[in-house]
Amino acid sequence: MVYAVVELGGNQLIIEPGKFYDVNYMHASPGDIINLNRVLLVAQSNNFSIGRPCLNNVIVKARVLRHLKGKKVTIFKVKPKKNSRVKIGHRQKLTRIFVEKIL
């Protein structure tokens, strides 16, 4: 089993080849192949490679499948005794990527 820890969009993800992940919005068209080069760790069976901070010789190839929006989050702010109420909704823009291989 091969997996890697990748830093992407300010978040760290544990990824495996052949699976898809929803990450923060990326400026790439659906169908594009992107290289994720901020690889922090790679594990192959019992062999671990840890970068300080990144591994320079490892690249993860991923394909952009589509862009979508996350679940709606409702923010409701109340200031007591001031009769102030604010209701705001937010949907995060996401990009679905499919990890093809870890090189």
Side-chain angles (χ1 to χ4, degrees):
M1 182 171 119
V2 178
Y3 67 91
V5 177
V6 177
E7 184 178 338
L8 184 62
N11 299 324
Q12 294 179 2
L13 293 169
I14 300 173
I15 60 172
E16 297 178 20
K19 294 189 177 181
F20 65 89
Y21 300 92
D22 292 336
V23 298
N24 286 338
Y25 183 80
M26 302 174 72
H27 295 285
S29 300
D32 288 352
I33 294 178
I34 56 173
N35 294 328
L36 309 176
N37 53 6
R38 298 271 306 164
V39 180
L40 306 176
L41 177 136
V42 173
Q44 296 178 349
S45 63
N46 290 333
N47 299 330
F48 291 93
S49 299
I50 300 172
R52 293 192 179 119
C54 298
L55 294 168
N56 294 329
N57 56 354
V58 178
I59 294 175
V60 176
K61 290 199 177 278
R63 181 180 302 275
V64 176
L65 297 179
R66 66 185 182 120
H67 299 293
L68 59 141
K69 289 186 178 180
K71 291 179 69 174
K72 186 161 190 169
V73 178
T74 304
I75 301 102
F76 190 70
K77 299 179 183 179
V78 177
K79 293 185 181 176
K81 302 177 192 162
K82 303 293 182 194
N83 198 19
S84 174
R85 292 171 176 80
V86 178
K87 184 176 179 182
I88 302 171
H90 175 74
R91 290 184 72 181
Q92 184 69 32
K93 289 172 121 181
L94 301 172
T95 299
R96 180 164 288 171
I97 61 171
F98 177 77
V99 178
E100 294 182 344
K101 53 186 160 182
I102 299 173
L103 302 173

